[in-house]
Amino acid sequence: MAAAGRLRRRVLLLAVPWRWRCSPRRGAAGCPPAGQVRAAFLRFFEERHGHRRLPSAPVRPRGDPRLLFVNAGMNQFKPIFLGTAHPRSELAQHRRVVNSQKCVRAGGKHNDLEDVGRDTYHHTFFEMLGNWSFGDYFKEEACSMAWELLTEVYEIPKDRLYVTYFAGDSSLGLSADEECRDVWLCLGVPASHVLPFPLKDNFWEMGDTGPCGPCTEIHYDHVGGGRNAAALVNQGSPDVVEIWNLVFMQYSREVEGNLLPLPQHHVDTGMGLERLVTVLQNKHSNYDTDLFTPILDAIHKGCGGPRYQGLVGDADVGHVNMAYRVVADHVRALCVCITDGIYPGFSGAELVLRRILRRAVRFCSEVLHAPPGLLASLVPTVVEVLGDAYPELTKNADQIMDVINENEAAFQSSLERGRRIIERTVQQMEPSTYFPAEVAWSLYGNLGFPLDLIDLILEEKGISLDSAAFNELALEDAKQKAGGPPAGQLEDTNTCLDVHSLAQLRSSNVPATDDSPKYAYTLGQHGRYEFSPCQATVLILYRDQSLQKEVGAGQRCGVILDRTNFYAEQGGQASDQGYMIHLGQQAQRLACMANHTATHLLNFALRHVLGDNTEQRGSHVTAEWLRFDFNTTGPVTVEQLQQVEQVVQDVIKRNEVVHTAEVPLMLARRVQGLRAVDEGYPDPVRIVSLGVPVESVLTCNSEAAMQTSVELCCGTHLLQTGAMEDLAIISERQLVKGISRVIAVTGSQAKQAREAGQCLAMEVDSVSLRMKERSASIPEMQNLSKEVGQLTKMVASTPVPQWQRKELQTILKVLQRTANTAIKKLEMQQAEEKAQSMLAKHCNQPVIIDTVPADSLSILMKVVNQLCDKSPGTSVLLLSPQASGEVLCACQVSKNCLPVFSAADWAVAVCTQMEGKAGGSPVVAKGSGNAKGMQRALTTALEFAQSKLLK
């Protein structure tokens, strides 16, 4: 009763009049527009309850390779839940947070893609309104705030709200969450509206392991009218829907499956903006709210068909309303993803986005019968709806439209190719057989041809796909992509501290390991780097997810030291390797330092050459090479690659000093032109500046940072740029539209790349000179053509400067065309001579059957073609014995003899006599066989022709 009394007093204190001043702009009269609904949520927690408002994270996940997209508001806060946030980072300082997070659920565990459009509430992209407590308030305050917002600010009738709580689970030893139930009852929610549900409904887990806990959900009854809708909660009824989920993280799921209490309790809540707006605008469908109606209106205007009516299922004749919903939803997802750096591509999130775009294009063209370009024309409307909340959409509108248009054109081309492949495959199939699963999988995986469209085309032809074989291919592909450690190799659990051990270390006042000695190196005599040894004390050991004072001989364990000079992988730089006691691998560290400094220089050079809009999209540094991803409007030209390398080499030659300093994060953010300031950094943060002292770039209104490379970075770097020696970009390619990746090497590897490039250039020059001599011999030209092909492969695979690779590939393409043209011309000359000789021998004959010397099947076919061109009514079959014992066969039938006389059947009959094979069309065919049966084949050729011509 005392706890209940405290809660009632707190509720009275919170019940201060606070209104959101609804002034409808886009919504119906008396209904708040979506923008005000979002703003009211954020202001309520920020102004009324002291939460810090944070911007939405991009939908491309950072530091979580298991996620395709950010699919929940809590994704960016995982390090807090797991206890791995850097203690000096801004993230670690959060206690109360509120935001509206952009989310995408398509692909992976949360995959709503195929459901979108079939009903009125599934989406690929949605906004998650959320408030969080990290070790601050818990169940009582979280429920109170939620109830206050819904019933007093949004003024939702209390009798339409139902709340659920965790009913407990005996198998896990968990009792019912009566604490949560009592909070709701004390808030005045009737007992008939407070409902218990089991683990699957009211227990939330981050994954197979990690933080988890009971949750309480708030459901809304769209019908109301005084009825009791408790029986419809969690039953899939469209009339009673969940609008808010409050998760109480108080356990951690261990590898063994058991639950342990978390050292610190957290609150993670999520409320879908689309569903909330549906409630507040008194609609039954998310698509009837002002988040979607402007887009639906734009679709109608663009396609000119019937208006959207909100029909579903059988009532939606022709799936027109489903198409409206698909297109409206998908264009929102496309806008947000492309803005956040995810482009339609061929793997991971990019592949999922490609499927979203292609699904939308199909509904546009096949159902709505809209002209090409409708999808991109909707972008300005999406920006109008969402641009105020997410200004980055406004900034990138033109780029979004370009990407959509280019991918739509590519898809239309793929559809045409796919249809031709299906037609050709069906023609070659035996009657009453399944369509080959291999062909269907190739269409689906390589061309992105929709599987349901394959089924539809085959259905129209009365053919079925071999679904069992197709599913086997899909399963095999999924297994390959899943990857994971090799069989028998278990993940090392001794290298990553779990949340409980981290909490134990903190409660025991064990200090964080001092890793500042990793920066303790100097330039000694003769320019050699000298790394200072680091003496450290072992504080404790870590094995099998527990802290231990000792382990047995031969057992693997983690070692926690008071200080270390080892660099742990972060900031894109690979970790050090070495030994305690011994000195470690200094060569690897030095190579990493050179490549990391080179990465900063490359970033600066790319911006200098390609423009200030060039932004880093990712990087990785190892001792062998460096990788750098950046946004671009198109492939980097040969001249631009040379200019980038020259900018880097100029800085190397000047042997600029690499300046570093730790400064307050707020001060660092003011540096003009500073790159990569949107990531999570510790405070104070380390600045790395090439050639300009950090004090200079921090000076108010200083433009010094605009003239050199200045970045926030925790990595290890050279002290002077000269030790880099050289940099060569050995690869540049577009990962997806708008994102390029370069790979570069430094030092001796760069020198080797340049030497290899010079050797290949000399070989290309040699072939080019010999090609200009224009030999009259077909074998010589064929050898040159083969040499060009081999050089082309070598140029493509050998590490050489990319600008030189592109130059050589251009030259080799011209040489290959020149060789092919010369060979074709020589073959035509030879074929004409042989044809003239054959015509003189077989003057005015309706059928010519003979043997003729020919170096290749190509020449033999040309002889046949010329004979038929010069004697139009003649059918010709020629055999050409080769030195190898093989006999080549080519034939052509006069069109006057069709369809009785078929060249394909003629060639098969002849080559069968020589134990060979043949194929072709009714007009022309070719094949080969064994010389032992040649005379028998000539007889068969004549008999076959006579049997057809005498009919």
Side-chain angles (χ1 to χ4, degrees):
M1 287 299 294
R6 286 198 303 273
L7 178 58
R8 288 193 189 97
R9 283 195 297 274
R10 183 167 298 180
V11 172
L12 289 172
L13 288 170
L14 290 173
V16 177
W18 190 89
R19 291 292 176 263
W20 59 332
R21 299 175 294 280
C22 174
S23 55
R25 176 166 51 89
R26 199 186 283 127
C31 294
Q36 285 193 17
V37 175
R38 184 194 299 110
F41 181 92
L42 298 171
R43 282 209 321 276
F44 173 79
F45 283 100
E46 181 182 24
E47 299 174 7
R48 185 79 175 83
H49 293 287
H51 288 61
R52 181 174 183 181
R53 184 194 297 199
L54 295 181
S56 170
V59 292
R60 177 185 285 280
R62 283 206 193 103
D64 194 341
R66 294 170 296 181
L67 280 180
L68 292 173
F69 304 95
V70 165
N71 56 25
M74 53 72 61
N75 289 158
Q76 65 176 308
F77 304 118
K78 273 188 179 182
I80 300 178
F81 300 137
L82 295 171
T84 58
H86 193 291
R88 290 194 287 117
S89 69
E90 197 173 21
L91 189 64
Q93 312 310 313
H94 294 327
R95 290 295 173 265
R96 297 183 175 204
V97 166
V98 63
N99 86 337
S100 178
Q101 174 62 47
K102 299 175 291 187
C103 299
V104 174
R105 289 187 179 175
K109 177 182 176 183
H110 298 289
N111 186 1
D112 291 346
L113 181 55
E114 293 305 319
D115 291 323
V116 172
R118 300 181 190 279
D119 53 41
T120 61
Y121 50 87
H122 273 101
H123 302 291
T124 51
F125 163 73
F126 63 97
E127 296 179 68
M128 184 71 83
L129 303 172
N131 61 289
W132 289 267
S133 165
F134 306 117
D136 190 353
Y137 60 81
F138 204 45
K139 298 178 183 179
E140 183 179 327
E141 294 88 343
C143 294
S144 299
M145 293 176 195
W147 193 250
E148 178 188 3
L149 177 64
L150 294 178
T151 62
E152 296 182 25
V153 176
Y154 291 138
E155 298 179 341
I156 297 175
K158 296 178 181 180
D159 62 350
R160 290 199 178 198
L161 297 175
Y162 295 80
V163 296
T164 66
Y165 67 95
F166 178 50
D169 189 285
S170 57
S171 65
L172 292 172
L174 297 177
S175 58
D177 191 357
E178 295 179 353
E179 179 187 0
C180 177
R181 179 199 63 188
D182 292 344
V183 168
W184 288 119
L185 293 174
C186 288
L187 286 168
V189 182
S192 60
H193 285 222
V194 182
L195 312 170
F197 280 91
L199 191 82
K200 70 179 183 68
D201 295 307
N202 278 77
F203 196 89
W204 188 91
E205 303 200 46
M206 184 183 294
D208 295 332
T209 61
C212 56
C215 63
T216 180
E217 297 176 342
I218 304 174
H219 296 249
Y220 175 79
D221 177 15
H222 279 283
V223 177
R227 70 169 185 168
N228 189 323
L232 298 177
V233 172
N234 278 337
Q235 299 305 310
S237 169
D239 292 330
V240 181
V241 296
E242 173 205 338
I243 58 172
W244 206 346
N245 188 11
L246 285 64
V247 179
F248 307 121
M249 292 195 186
Q250 58 189 95
Y251 301 105
S252 174
R253 172 83 69 177
E254 302 302 295
V255 175
E256 297 80 9
N258 59 308
L259 296 175
L260 293 178
L262 279 175
Q264 208 175 35
H265 290 174
H266 308 295
V267 173
D268 164 19
T269 87
M271 175 160 56
L273 175 67
E274 291 77 9
R275 288 193 181 183
L276 176 62
V277 173
T278 300
V279 169
L280 296 179
Q281 294 185 358
N282 198 26
K283 307 292 184 183
H284 274 73
S285 163
N286 296 354
Y287 292 92
D288 291 336
T289 68
D290 65 340
L291 287 167
F292 288 93
T293 51
I295 306 172
L296 296 170
D297 290 342
I299 295 171
H300 172 255
K301 183 178 179 181
C303 69
R307 283 191 172 277
Y308 177 70
Q309 297 175 288
L311 302 175
V312 295
D314 294 338
D316 182 18
V317 179
H319 304 298
V320 172
N321 289 265
M322 178 180 176
Y324 267 97
R325 289 188 289 268
V326 167
V327 174
D329 171 90
H330 288 9
V331 74
R332 285 170 23 114
L334 287 164
C335 288
V336 168
C337 289
I338 293 170
T339 293
D340 285 350
I342 302 174
Y343 298 82
F346 298 95
S347 63
E350 286 77 12
L351 176 60
V352 175
L353 195 65
R354 184 175 76 151
R355 289 175 179 162
I356 290 174
L357 185 144
R358 294 187 165 196
R359 188 169 187 253
V361 169
R362 282 191 57 213
F363 274 98
C364 280
S365 60
E366 296 175 13
V367 181
L368 297 175
H369 306 295
L374 171 66
L375 198 60
S377 74
L378 303 175
V379 171
T381 307
V382 176
V383 171
E384 181 189 346
V385 174
L386 298 175
D388 289 345
Y390 309 109
E392 59 271 23
L393 288 170
T394 306
K395 177 184 175 184
N396 292 282
D398 290 341
Q399 182 194 18
I400 297 168
M401 295 173 70
D402 289 343
V403 171
I404 291 175
N405 278 328
E406 288 169 7
N407 279 273
E408 180 176 352
F411 181 42
Q412 295 295 356
S413 174
S414 295
L415 285 179
E416 291 303 317
R417 288 176 58 199
R419 286 190 175 98
R420 288 197 297 270
I421 291 171
I422 292 173
E423 290 289 344
R424 190 163 60 246
T425 305
V426 169
Q427 288 175 4
Q428 296 171 357
M429 285 170 52
E430 296 290 333
S432 305
T433 57
Y434 284 113
F435 188 82
E438 299 81 9
V439 177
W441 180 254
S442 177
L443 288 169
Y444 176 72
N446 298 332
L447 281 183
F449 203 94
L451 186 57
D452 59 340
L453 185 56
I454 296 174
D455 288 332
L456 185 63
I457 294 173
L458 294 179
E459 185 182 337
E460 292 170 353
K461 297 180 180 297
I463 300 171
S464 299
L465 172 65
D466 188 348
S467 299
F470 184 91
N471 291 336
E472 284 183 19
L473 290 171
L475 186 63
E476 184 180 336
D477 181 71
K479 287 179 179 177
Q480 289 178 353
K481 289 178 178 176
Q489 179 179 325
L490 299 177
E491 184 180 355
D492 191 351
T493 59
N494 299 320
T495 57
C496 186
L497 291 167
D498 66 288
V499 65
H500 301 289
S501 298
L502 284 167
Q504 185 179 340
L505 288 169
R506 292 189 185 108
S507 64
S508 302
N509 294 318
V510 175
T513 302
D514 174 16
D515 64 350
S516 60
K518 67 188 178 187
Y519 300 126
Y521 49 87
T522 57
L523 267 175
Q525 290 185 344
H526 311 297
R528 294 177 62 88
Y529 277 78
E530 296 177 357
F531 294 87
S532 302
C534 174
Q535 185 172 349
T537 301
V538 175
L539 301 178
I540 201 162
L541 305 176
Y542 182 68
R543 175 177 169 79
D544 296 334
Q545 293 189 296
S546 67
L547 299 171
Q548 301 179 14
K549 292 185 177 180
E550 60 182 35
V551 297
Q555 292 182 324
R556 293 175 62 89
C557 68
V559 180
I560 299 172
L561 307 173
D562 65 334
R563 59 201 306 265
T564 180
N565 59 356
F566 276 67
Y567 184 86
E569 181 167 355
Q570 58 182 326
Q573 179 178 328
S575 59
D576 285 337
Q577 296 179 15
Y579 303 90
M580 291 187 292
I581 303 173
H582 298 297
L583 288 178
Q585 298 182 1
Q586 294 184 359
Q588 173 174 331
R589 162 67 83 82
L590 185 56
C592 278
M593 287 162 52
N595 285 344
H596 203 152
T597 304
T599 303
H600 284 216
L601 252 180
L602 183 62
N603 189 4
F604 168 72
L606 285 165
R607 288 169 63 92
H608 181 78
V609 172
L610 302 180
D612 289 338
N613 290 330
T614 306
E615 294 182 3
Q616 179 177 342
R617 293 293 189 179
S619 66
H620 188 64
V621 175
T622 71
E624 293 76 29
W625 46 262
L626 63 97
R627 187 194 74 213
F628 192 83
D629 301 341
F630 58 99
N631 67 315
T632 177
T633 55
V636 185
T637 67
V638 168
E639 293 75 17
Q640 288 171 331
L641 286 168
Q642 289 174 319
Q643 290 169 19
V644 168
E645 284 191 1
Q646 191 60 55
V647 170
V648 175
Q649 288 161 4
D650 288 346
V651 179
I652 293 173
K653 288 175 183 174
R654 292 199 301 268
N655 198 21
E656 300 277 16
V657 173
V658 180
H659 300 272
T660 63
E662 283 199 346
V663 301
L665 186 58
M666 287 300 294
L667 188 60
R669 290 183 189 275
R670 298 176 191 161
V671 175
Q672 291 196 43
L674 185 67
R675 290 162 284 287
V677 293
D678 59 336
E679 307 225 359
Y681 290 98
D683 191 4
V685 66
R686 192 164 179 260
I687 289 184
V688 178
S689 173
L690 271 57
V692 178
V694 174
E695 297 79 12
S696 298
V697 301
L698 290 175
T699 304
C700 185
N701 298 322
S702 170
E703 294 188 0
M706 305 290 286
Q707 312 304 321
T708 187
S709 167
V710 180
E711 297 191 31
L712 307 182
C713 182
C714 57
T716 55
H717 286 269
L718 297 173
L719 299 176
Q720 290 181 256
T721 59
M724 208 182 302
E725 296 179 6
D726 191 8
L727 176 138
I729 297 172
I730 59 171
S731 172
E732 184 274 325
R733 65 185 180 92
Q734 282 204 306
L735 296 177
V736 293
K737 189 68 179 178
I739 300 289
S740 280
R741 167 172 291 177
V742 295
I743 294 176
V745 291
T746 61
S748 60
Q749 286 182 293
K751 181 181 178 182
Q752 291 170 11
R754 297 196 188 282
E755 290 173 350
Q758 290 169 2
C759 290
L760 286 171
M762 291 172 63
E763 291 190 47
V764 171
D765 288 342
S766 172
V767 173
S768 184
L769 285 172
R770 283 178 281 146
M771 194 81 75
K772 288 175 182 177
E773 295 173 2
R774 294 296 177 104
S775 169
S777 164
I778 291 177
E780 286 182 18
M781 288 305 299
Q782 286 175 331
N783 286 336
L784 279 174
S785 176
K786 186 177 180 181
E787 196 173 339
V788 170
Q790 291 171 341
L791 270 174
T792 300
K793 290 180 180 178
M794 290 177 66
V795 167
S797 60
T798 305
V800 298
Q802 182 68 7
W803 64 264
Q804 191 171 32
R805 189 193 319 277
K806 287 189 172 186
E807 280 190 345
L808 294 176
Q809 286 173 333
T810 301
I811 296 170
L812 287 166
K813 282 181 182 178
V814 173
L815 291 176
Q816 192 70 70
R817 282 198 301 268
T818 303
N820 292 342
T821 302
I823 291 168
K824 188 175 180 180
K825 187 176 180 180
L826 290 169
E827 286 182 346
M828 289 296 288
Q829 291 173 353
Q830 195 178 103
E832 188 170 359
E833 292 170 3
K834 293 180 185 295
Q836 289 290 357
S837 174
M838 296 296 292
L839 276 175
K841 182 180 178 181
H842 301 278
C843 184
N844 297 323
Q845 294 294 319
V847 177
I848 297 176
I849 299 171
D850 208 337
T851 61
V852 63
D855 292 333
S856 67
L857 187 56
S858 173
I859 295 175
L860 186 64
M861 197 74 242
K862 285 180 174 65
V863 176
V864 170
N865 296 153
Q866 293 228 11
L867 278 169
C868 291
D869 288 345
K870 295 177 185 299
S871 181
T874 302
S875 297
V876 181
L877 184 144
L878 298 179
L879 299 181
S880 179
Q882 304 293 297
S884 62
E886 183 185 28
V887 176
L888 306 178
C889 170
C891 65
Q892 182 170 333
V893 169
S894 171
K895 292 183 179 179
N896 299 334
C897 301
L898 298 174
V900 176
F901 198 177
S902 166
D905 294 342
W906 198 12
V908 168
V910 170
C911 291
T912 300
Q913 296 299 318
M914 299 185 293
E915 300 178 348
K917 293 182 178 180
S921 70
V923 178
V924 293
K926 55 190 176 182
S928 63
N930 195 301
K932 293 179 181 179
M934 190 173 73
Q935 290 302 321
R936 192 167 57 250
L938 287 168
T939 303
T940 299
L942 181 59
E943 291 174 351
F944 186 93
Q946 288 174 340
S947 70
K948 299 298 180 182
L949 293 175
L950 292 174
K951 287 185 178 180

